[in-house]
Amino acid sequence: MNILVINCGSSSLKFQLINSDSEQCIAKGLCERIGIEGSQITYSPEGGEKEVNVTPMPDHTEAIRLVLEALTNPKTGVVKSLDEIGAVGHRIVHGGEKFAASTVITDEVMKAIEECNDLAPLHNPANLIGINACKALMPNTPMVGVFDTAFHQTMPEEAYMYGLPYEYYQKYKIRRYGFHGTSHSFVSKKAAEDLGKKYEDLKIIVCHLGNGASVSAVKNGKCVDTSMGLTPLEGLIMGTRSGDMDPAIIEFIAHKEGKSIDEIMSILNKKSGVQGLSDNLSSDFRDLEAEHNKGNANATRTLKTYCYRVAKYIGSYVAAMNGVDVICFTAGIGENAALVRSWVCQYLGYLGVTIDEEANHKRGEDVVITTPDSKTTVMVIPTNEELAIARETVRLVK
Ligand code: ADP
């Protein structure tokens, strides 16, 4: 069965068509600047030429129509008709406490997703628009929602509660939710599979280090803690997000710089992280590594602070699980930045971690980067959130 995976943002839409039998991606692409002048669709059929088409997309329905047109195009398409698309899997950012698993999308499910809009005001409305646009053009095709938060719903209360007045949890459901759940689930399962061990017997820490970044603790097949919180701002230092900090800093900056809460939140989300810490050198680790190699002190400070924070989270999750068997690195930085992995692992002597630097420099495959006598196994596992969404979709519609 072919599964169309849709990841819909407020002005963009990423898509992949995946054959669920071979688990291969048959075509993928991206619609950008939806509802804004200069919209364009990029379409790449597997083994074919990448096409970029600048064309008006006043709304998401038009974007989806263009995606379906590209997929069924007689010359460059990959399917003959829409009948060859068995189901659509939608990535949904926030499922609140309502969704602990993926689900077939019904009218009631749409309503429940809408009720989570408050928790993710930028993302959930866009996800819903994407679902509605697909339903309008493919009314008889089953749709599945896969939530970024669902995998973390197994966290115990002591991990998800904040030290705030309890009434805020009761009234507004303010608590830790966590994100990147599809990736944490995919990577932790893959680690067990690769090692030929039972998922339910392992204590795994997954470091998803992309532009957005989070760590999770997975004990006996269940997530028991994760570093992102009510929103994706908490936890690690990220590309442009601050991660953890003293909340009183918000008031301090507001007074010193005469800024509103909205302005400061924008700084914490868009101008902080490694971008801000490096004094605007870059949010990209390729640049930071290159500058560090040239002796740039801003880059070195940024990389050191970043790795220290990752190592502290690993330490806290070793405590949460009373040990760890496997530590996994994934996503753009986790999969590619050997230096970051190496520096993080330098803090892990107490876990008996010894890195095999040759293995640490391999790319693009699942690999154990510790020596055979290392007491804790460290792995690099490329994540594949689209494939995970396609698998969930097939499981629910078959
Ligand atoms: P997201 O999906 O959150 O946008 P990704 O998982 O694609 O992010 O990660 C993007 C980041 O990965 C880039 O900002 C860059 O810092 C990092 N990255 C990508 N390739 C490399 C590389 N070869 N070396 C170091 N870092 C890399």
Side-chain angles (χ1 to χ4, degrees), residues 23 180 182-194 206-210 327-337 341 359-369 378-388 391:
E23 298 209 319
H180 296 137
T182 312
S183 176
H184 287 289
S185 161
F186 178 87
V187 170
S188 54
K189 281 184 191 134
K190 194 81 194 309
E193 206 182 295
D194 287 352
V206 179
C207 306
H208 175 109
L209 311 180
I327 298 169
C328 306
F329 286 94
T330 193
I333 299 153
E335 290 165 28
N336 295 300
R341 293 193 297 259
N360 188 33
H361 280 81
K362 286 193 184 150
R363 280 267 180 92
E365 54 179 309
D366 292 13
V367 57
V368 171
I369 61 166
V378 181
M379 301 179 76
V380 178
I381 299 182
T383 193
N384 192 338
E385 288 168 280
E386 289 77 13
L387 176 58
R391 282 181 182 165

Side-chain angles (χ1 to χ4, degrees), residues 13 58 152 267 284 308 319:
L13 185 159
H152 305 302
I267 293 169
D284 194 305
Y308 178 69

Side-chain angles (χ1 to χ4, degrees), residues 175-398:
R175 49 160 284 181
R176 174 183 313 287
Y177 290 97
F179 299 88
H180 296 137
T182 312
S183 176
H184 287 289
S185 161
F186 178 87
V187 170
S188 54
K189 281 184 191 134
K190 194 81 194 309
E193 206 182 295
D194 287 352
L195 296 171
K197 297 202 167 144
K198 268 178 78 181
Y199 192 41
E200 291 73 21
D201 292 342
L202 291 173
K203 294 171 182 173
I204 306 171
I205 294 175
V206 179
C207 306
H208 175 109
L209 311 180
N211 214 0
S214 63
V215 189
S216 69
V218 184
K219 187 179 181 184
N220 309 130
K222 290 204 166 96
C223 175
V224 294
D225 208 344
T226 191
S227 60
M228 282 179 166
L230 174 77
T231 75
L233 187 56
E234 192 181 349
L236 299 178
I237 297 171
M238 309 181 207
T240 61
R241 294 190 194 118
S242 64
D244 296 340
M245 55 165 222
D246 180 348
I249 292 171
I250 295 177
E251 187 204 26
F252 195 91
I253 301 176
H255 285 161
K256 290 279 181 201
E257 301 262 320
K259 291 202 189 304
S260 68
I261 291 195
D262 283 356
E263 285 170 319
I264 295 172
M265 292 317 291
S266 169
I267 293 169
L268 297 183
N269 275 295
K270 296 181 185 154
K271 297 195 171 153
S272 301
V274 294
Q275 170 80 35
L277 182 55
S278 68
D279 203 12
N280 290 318
L281 205 56
S282 178
S283 67
D284 194 305
F285 276 67
R286 283 163 287 206
D287 303 333
L288 293 171
E289 253 190 83
E291 285 299 315
H292 160 72
N293 289 333
K294 285 190 229 156
N296 183 323
N298 276 339
T300 306
R301 174 188 62 246
T302 303
L303 290 169
K304 277 190 174 168
T305 314
Y306 180 90
C307 293
Y308 178 69
R309 177 78 57 91
V310 177
K312 276 216 297 192
Y313 263 99
I314 291 174
S316 67
Y317 291 163
V318 171
M321 297 194 289
N322 188 22
V324 63
D325 300 303
V326 191
I327 298 169
C328 306
F329 286 94
T330 193
I333 299 153
E335 290 165 28
N336 295 300
L339 180 81
V340 168
R341 293 193 297 259
S342 180
W343 283 11
V344 169
C345 289
Q346 280 175 17
Y347 288 101
L348 308 181
Y350 70 99
L351 295 174
V353 165
T354 44
I355 290 291
D356 170 351
E357 276 302 339
E358 197 182 315
N360 188 33
H361 280 81
K362 286 193 184 150
R363 280 267 180 92
E365 54 179 309
D366 292 13
V367 57
V368 171
I369 61 166
T370 35
T371 57
D373 61 345
S374 180
K375 286 206 186 78
T376 305
T377 305
V378 181
M379 301 179 76
V380 178
I381 299 182
T383 193
N384 192 338
E385 288 168 280
E386 289 77 13
L387 176 58
I389 293 173
R391 282 181 182 165
E392 283 290 275
T393 305
V394 173
R395 184 177 68 79
L396 285 164
V397 301
K398 255 197 173 158

Side-chain angles (χ1 to χ4, degrees), residues 118-119 167-175 177 230:
D118 252 9
L119 295 168
E167 62 175 298
Y168 295 146
Y169 172 67
Q170 291 172 306
K171 280 202 274 192
Y172 310 119
K173 293 283 175 228
I174 292 179
R175 49 160 284 181
Y177 290 97
L230 174 77

